[in-house]
Amino acid sequence: VELPMRENPKRFLIGVRGGFTHSLKELMGARVGVDVSVNLRAGPVMLWLSALVQGGLASQAVSDASGSLTSQSQLYFLPLQGRLAAELWAGRRLSVLLGASGGATWAMYTTTLTGLTSVAWGPSAGAFAGLNIAAGPGHLFLEAGYTWAPVAGVGFRVETGGVHVAAGYRLGLF
């Protein structure tokens, strides 16, 4: 009797991702990014260590009632995270993960009202659940979670984290 074995999850992977985040306040939108992941065994549990960089943009235009005075404000931000996840269950092509993250977010705010450009850093911490699906030389992934990531600088204060969903593909290099 032949028993199907688990697909090789690869040890070192590099990936691309896209997703959507809602801060549960005024900020929401798409995120795109890249990540690098390494897996290791800790007894019977497979752990995934990852570094993740994402990018986001928010903008707002405000006008007075007559439309003669208009202000445009923009926020560019880059969340940088280190992540640790444990595989809770693994089948032949599918695995379920639960993890935590921490890091920092860089943000740049500009406004045409005063000509201000302000740059600041803020902390981040979060948790997520993920699903990996073996596909070709790597795996597809789906994630959902929450990240706390406030950033405050001269003239602005924003929560760049929130509830998020993401999907992508990680290519196994070896």
Side-chain angles (χ1 to χ4, degrees):
V1 174
E2 187 177 316
L3 294 176
M5 300 300 289
R6 179 179 184 182
E7 295 282 334
N8 180 358
K10 305 292 187 189
R11 186 145 175 84
F12 182 80
L13 299 100
I14 185 163
V16 294
R17 63 177 41 236
F20 184 83
T21 300
H22 193 302
S23 72
L24 304 179
K25 295 183 181 179
E26 62 279 345
L27 186 65
M28 68 177 140
R31 306 282 169 91
V32 294
V34 296
D35 63 40
V36 175
S37 298
V38 175
N39 71 51
L40 356 138
R41 284 251 173 231
V45 177
M46 184 176 296
L47 300 176
W48 290 87
L49 299 172
S50 303
L52 167 64
V53 177
Q54 295 185 95
L57 165 68
S59 99
Q60 180 181 35
V62 178
S63 297
D64 67 354
S66 69
S68 61
L69 177 62
T70 302
S71 172
Q72 178 76 30
S73 299
Q74 292 189 318
L75 177 72
Y76 301 94
F77 51 96
L78 291 172
L80 311 168
Q81 293 182 338
R83 300 171 125 204
L84 174 64
E87 236 177 38
L88 301 179
W89 177 85
R92 178 169 161 69
R93 299 181 60 79
L94 190 67
S95 62
V96 177
L97 300 102
L98 188 61
S101 64
T105 300
W106 173 89
M108 181 175 71
Y109 170 77
T110 62
T111 181
T112 59
L113 183 63
T114 62
L116 173 72
T117 296
S118 178
V119 175
W121 285 89
S124 74
F128 62 95
L131 181 68
N132 291 343
I133 305 159
H139 62 248
L140 297 167
F141 66 90
L142 301 170
E143 291 180 358
Y146 180 81
T147 301
W148 168 80
V151 180
V154 175
F156 78 101
R157 179 182 316 263
V158 66
E159 173 58 65
T160 62
V163 175
H164 57 87
V165 294
Y169 186 78
R170 292 186 184 107
L171 175 65
L173 299 179
F174 55 87

